[in-house]
């Protein structure tokens, strides 16, 4: 990119907001933590070497913080601007040492998209994408309160959540950690989640600012994006977080229009602080700070996880004159001001609450049931009732190994998690026959000792502290086969070589740092490495070397062969044939650090579903997957239930939905493509994953469902889709202008025989008089309602000025689209039964 183009891109970002954010989320109660700029209630102690920054209310004044900054040495200041090793680590993501002589406490920062990630138990909440599927901002606030209370209870001060990046590509490895492909829905939920976290006194960190939409090349890719695209899509969730009072913003690791996000003055200083008025601090993503002088000048305040740029190099830059000490003071001032707002500089800091594990579990169960999305339901397959509920085959490895969450930043150590098989048996009752078949092995079978020469038992090998254990041998295969070799271990990863090639090498960067939530460890907690490869007929050499280290370790080497796979599949088919109904659990493990390579289910699961559904058409497939999935097996199935990663209470929640104890009230927050080549990024490598380190957001404002509408593409399942166990009717639509926007009213009626939950959705079309790129239909609002059989409810949705406006890159402002607008109402972005045209009122 030329320097001139970079400057033009920068100028597009530094303009002020033409209109306010509007009603981005549901109105909530006044947060317990004072909002930014609250008036201090009184003076603070000012004696030498005493806390001077806090009044005990979390509302200390700027003058008080100024005094504290003046008393800090340069070394103390820079120590507050970067991470360091924690002398009493609790397994959290970051630590900043305080300054005890001035009463500045240390800060602990924990990951937390789906619960507080430390080295001790916490509530493992459902993945944020499952929360989002409920289309319920009030529920997002409850979810946030669990994180806020538990973060405080577990000794944390800052949580690195929520993730506000949109779902742009179904391949992204962290789609389950965020909310939706739609800017409006994302903003609503992010704002309320921030409020919930901070209601409990924990500082929320909205991440990753901005455009973190993939793991592949996440530290190096340079995103080219236009001003209108950025304003109308990605930025809306971040703006909502700032409006909600988020204390911290995390800078992304990529480049935006030629500049690293963590040293982008247009993003951090001009837009975030200048246009939006953000007055908290900006922290880098892990390793995302790439400079000292440029980053400080742009407005980065804190580097994580260490002080590569903000430690000694920053002190030298100040002493050498390339960074004025006033810039360091400003960064420290922002951090201390935010800490003071949350009472962390008070002489008597707020007491940490006890964990309420039972309350956390109740919210986890509530969210998992609320977000369950029924994608397909033919021939009355679900709910399981009558004879169908008394004879059930439960198939799949994740029926017996609870799949609570994804890997990386969102991995949480739960208090416990019930297996779905146990929950189904409990709900079915003593008189029911519920049988299980594995279907596909995830963790391997022992290598027969007689297979190896010399013979060796590699199933449970102990290596003592300070010792090294080795094995060298061979085995012979009579025919070619596909093997999966699995290494289970408790210490330093052993070295395993097959025919001289190392099978489980240590990977570089985040791919090694973050392992999957399901496949990365065995049910007994041992770490797991796996490798699938073609093994030719003949003799093969096997060598294993294991180091006991300081504490010793255990290891086992297992395998899965073609014969094992065939036997597991045959057992699943027999079990399915013998039952009235089948519940088949399918999975895909996803994690930070790597993207998906396909949208198909991994391993032999597609073959398993095809075979089982052919044996028993009353097969309900439960998907524990991170994002959109292709389903060539769909026509054979009776039902498909999308549960994503359902958290520690996922088993009970899944049983609730399967047996009809609750209506599946979730709706898709992302479009599921029929063909993975036909998506907003499709087969265009310049859009994903990028070419030559550059990536073009050429889809413009047409993100997610907007792209499918613009291109006339038919998806497998559209945005907003989700079936119910009852039937619904929409009627009596009226639309009238009000206060520069529109008021939409319509009636929703439950026409079935069961109590049910519906998500009524409102979309708005473009202004024909506005010469800017606009979506064919944009989500304008929604309401989640629950009605008894035969009941009806009049629903009102107000469409605000922001929704009816577009960002004009020439005027650098929001402009209201004039003229007649079409309004659509229905059950999904593709099932819109009511429509009307109206001219919005002028402001």
């Amino acid at each position: 990119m030329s320097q001139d183009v970079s400057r033009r891109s920068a100028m597009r970002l530094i303009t002020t907001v033409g209109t306010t954010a509007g009603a981005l989320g549901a109105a909530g109660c006044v947060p317990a933590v004072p909002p930014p700029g609250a008036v201090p209630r009184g003076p603070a102690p000012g004696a030498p070497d005493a806390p001077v920054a806090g009044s005990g209310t979390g509302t200390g004044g700027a003058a008080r913080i100024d005094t504290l900054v003046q008393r800090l040495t340069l070394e103390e200041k820079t120590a507050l601007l970067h991470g360091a090793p924690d002398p009493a680590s609790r397994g959290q993501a970051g630590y900043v040492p305080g300054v005890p002589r001035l009463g500045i406490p240390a800060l602990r920062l924990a990951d937390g998209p789906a619960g507080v990630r430390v080295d001790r138990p916490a509530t493992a909440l459902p993945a944020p994408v499952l929360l989002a599927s409920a289309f319920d901002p009030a529920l997002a606030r409850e979810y946030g309160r669990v994180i806020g209370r538990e973060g405080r209870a577990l000794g944390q001060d800052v949580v690195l959540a929520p993730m506000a990046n949109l779902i742009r590509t179904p391949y992204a490895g962290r789609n389950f950690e965020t909310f939706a492909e739609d800017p409006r829905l994302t903003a609503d939920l992010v704002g309320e989640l921030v409020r919930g976290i901070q209601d409990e006194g924990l500082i929320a960190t909205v991440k990753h600012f901005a455009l973190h939409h993939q793991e592949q090349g996440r530290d190096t890719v340079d995103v080219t994006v236009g001003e209108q695209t950025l304003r109308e899509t990605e930025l809306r969730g971040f703006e909502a977080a700032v409006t909600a009072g988020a204390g911290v913003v995390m800078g992304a690791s990529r480049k935006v229009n030629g500049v690293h996000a963590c040293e982008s003055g247009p993003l951090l200083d001009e837009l975030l602080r200048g246009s939006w008025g953000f007055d908290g601090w900006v922290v880098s993503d892990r390793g995302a700070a790439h400079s000292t002088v440029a980053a400080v000048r742009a407005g980065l305040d804190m580097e994580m996880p260490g002080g590569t740029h903000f430690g000694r190099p920053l002190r030298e830059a100040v002493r050498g004159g390339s960074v004025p000490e006033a810039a360091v003071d400003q960064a420290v001032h922002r951090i201390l001001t935010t800490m003071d707002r949350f009472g962390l500089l008070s002489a008597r800091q707020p007491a940490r609450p006890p964990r309420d594990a039972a309350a956390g579990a109740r919210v986890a169960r509530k969210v998992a049931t609320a977000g369950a999305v029924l994608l397909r339901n033919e021939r009355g397959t679900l709910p399981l009732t009558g004879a169908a509920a008394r004879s059930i085959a439960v198939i799949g490895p994740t029926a017996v190994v609870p799949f609570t969450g994804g890997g990386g930043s969102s991995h949480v150590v739960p208090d416990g998690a019930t297996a779905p098989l146990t929950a189904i048996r409990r709900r079915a009752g003593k008189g029911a026959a519920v049988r299980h078949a594995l279907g596909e092995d995830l963790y391997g079978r022992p290598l027969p000792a007689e297979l190896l020469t010399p013979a060796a038992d590699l199933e449970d090998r102990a290596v003592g502290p300070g010792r090294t254990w080795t094995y060298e041998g061979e085995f012979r295969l009579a025919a070619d086969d596909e093997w999966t070799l699995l290494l289970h271990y408790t210490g330093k990863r052993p070295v395993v070589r097959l025919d001289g090639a190392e099978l489980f090498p240590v990977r570089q960067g985040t791919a090694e740092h973050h392992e999957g939530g399901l496949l990365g460890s065995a049910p007994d907690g041992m770490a797991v490495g796996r490798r699938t490869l073609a093994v030719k007929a003949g003799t093969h050499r096997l060598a294993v070397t294991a180091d006991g280290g300081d504490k010793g370790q255990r290891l086992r080497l297992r395998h899965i062969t073609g014969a094992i796979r065939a036997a597991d599949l045959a057992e699943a088919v027999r079990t399915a044939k013998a039952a009235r109904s089948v519940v088949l659990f399918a999975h895909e493990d996803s994690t930070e650090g790597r993207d998906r390579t396909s949208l198909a289910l991994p391993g032999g699961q597609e073959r398993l579903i095809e075979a089982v559904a052919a044996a028993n058409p009353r097969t309900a497939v439960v998907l524990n997957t991170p994002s959109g999935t292709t389903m060539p097996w769909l026509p054979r199935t009776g039902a498909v239930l999308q549960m994503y990663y359902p958290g520690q209470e996922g088993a009970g929640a899944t049983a609730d939905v399967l047996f009809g104890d609750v209506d599946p009230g979730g709706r898709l927050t992302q479009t599921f493509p029929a063909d993975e080549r036909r998506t907003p990024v499709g087969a265009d490598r310049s859009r994903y994953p990028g070419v030559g380190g550059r990536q073009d957001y050429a889809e413009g404002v047409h993100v997610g469902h907007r792209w499918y509408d613009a291109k006339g593409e038919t998806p497998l399942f559209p945005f907003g889709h989700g079936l119910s166990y009852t039937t619904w009717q929409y009627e009596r639509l009226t639309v009238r202008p009000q206060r520069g926007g529109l008021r939409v009213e319509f009636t929703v009626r439950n026409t079935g025989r069961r109590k049910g939950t519906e998500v009524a959705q409102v979309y708005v079309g473009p202004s024909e008089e506005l010469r800017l790129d606009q979506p064919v239909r944009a989500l304008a609002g929604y309401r989640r309602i629950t009605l008894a059989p035969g009941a009806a409810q009049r629903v009102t949705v107000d469409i605000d000025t922001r929704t009816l406006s577009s960002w004009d890159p020439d005027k650098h402002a929001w402009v209201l689209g004039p003229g007649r607008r079409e309004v659509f109402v229905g059950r999904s972005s593709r099932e819109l039964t009511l429509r009307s045209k109206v001219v919005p009122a002028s402001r």
Side-chain angles (χ1 to χ4, degrees), residues 184-200:
R184 168 61 187 261
L185 179 60
T186 297
D188 289 352
L189 300 172
V190 165
E192 289 306 297
L193 191 57
V194 166
R195 292 183 178 97
I197 290 169
Q198 297 190 164
D199 282 347
E200 301 294 331

Side-chain angles (χ1 to χ4, degrees), residues 286-338:
R286 186 180 183 90
H290 295 276
S291 67
T292 300
V293 177
V296 170
R297 288 179 174 174
L300 183 68
D301 301 308
M302 182 181 289
E303 177 189 10
M304 281 292 165
T308 302
H309 302 286
F310 277 24
R312 179 185 295 176
L314 180 54
R315 293 192 294 274
E316 293 175 349
V318 171
R319 290 170 180 142
S322 57
V323 172
E325 189 163 358
V328 173
D329 291 349
Q330 185 177 46
V332 173
H333 199 285
R334 290 169 180 148
I335 294 168
L336 295 181
T337 298
T338 305

Side-chain angles (χ1 to χ4, degrees), residues 611-801:
V612 168
N616 189 331
R618 292 184 58 84
T619 294
V621 177
V622 179
L623 292 172
N624 295 132
T625 52
S627 190
T629 302
T630 52
M631 304 180 193
W633 40 265
L634 184 67
R636 287 189 177 273
T637 63
V640 178
L641 179 64
Q642 179 69 49
M643 292 298 296
Y644 296 108
Y645 298 157
Q648 69 181 51
E649 302 300 317
T654 301
D656 288 343
V657 177
L658 290 173
F659 287 89
D661 298 334
V662 297
D663 196 44
R667 303 294 182 262
L668 288 183
T669 68
Q670 57 191 298
T671 306
F672 278 28
D675 183 337
E676 58 185 290
R677 294 167 298 182
R678 305 298 300 170
T679 72
V681 298
D684 186 345
R685 291 188 60 83
S686 69
R687 295 190 187 188
Y688 173 84
V691 176
R694 294 190 177 185
Q695 187 176 40
D696 185 12
Y697 278 39
E699 69 272 19
V701 300
H702 305 287
V703 293
H705 59 95
R706 300 176 178 186
W707 181 88
Y708 287 87
D709 288 342
K711 297 297 183 182
E713 286 286 339
T714 300
L716 183 64
F717 296 111
F719 175 87
H721 171 76
L723 303 178
S724 169
Y725 290 149
T726 189
T727 54
W728 301 93
Q729 182 174 315
Y730 286 69
E731 56 194 25
R732 297 173 53 209
L733 171 65
T734 63
V735 184
R736 66 178 186 271
Q738 68 161 15
R739 298 193 305 274
L742 298 172
R743 170 154 288 188
V744 182
E745 295 181 347
F746 53 93
T747 297
V748 178
R749 188 180 305 277
N750 181 347
T751 56
R753 298 180 179 179
R754 299 175 61 98
K755 179 181 178 181
T757 297
E758 175 68 325
V759 177
Q761 300 162 47
V762 179
Y763 296 80
V764 64
S767 165
E768 295 180 359
E769 299 179 22
L770 189 63
R771 299 303 176 217
L772 290 170
D773 198 16
Q774 300 171 75
V776 174
R777 279 178 293 276
L779 181 67
Y782 49 88
R783 289 293 182 272
R784 180 182 176 90
I785 57 176
T786 299
L787 295 176
Q793 181 173 325
R794 193 70 178 161
V795 176
T796 301
V797 174
D798 290 328
I799 303 179
D800 60 15
T801 303

Side-chain angles (χ1 to χ4, degrees), residues 154 256 316 400 705:
L154 292 166
V256 178
E316 293 175 349
V400 290
H705 59 95

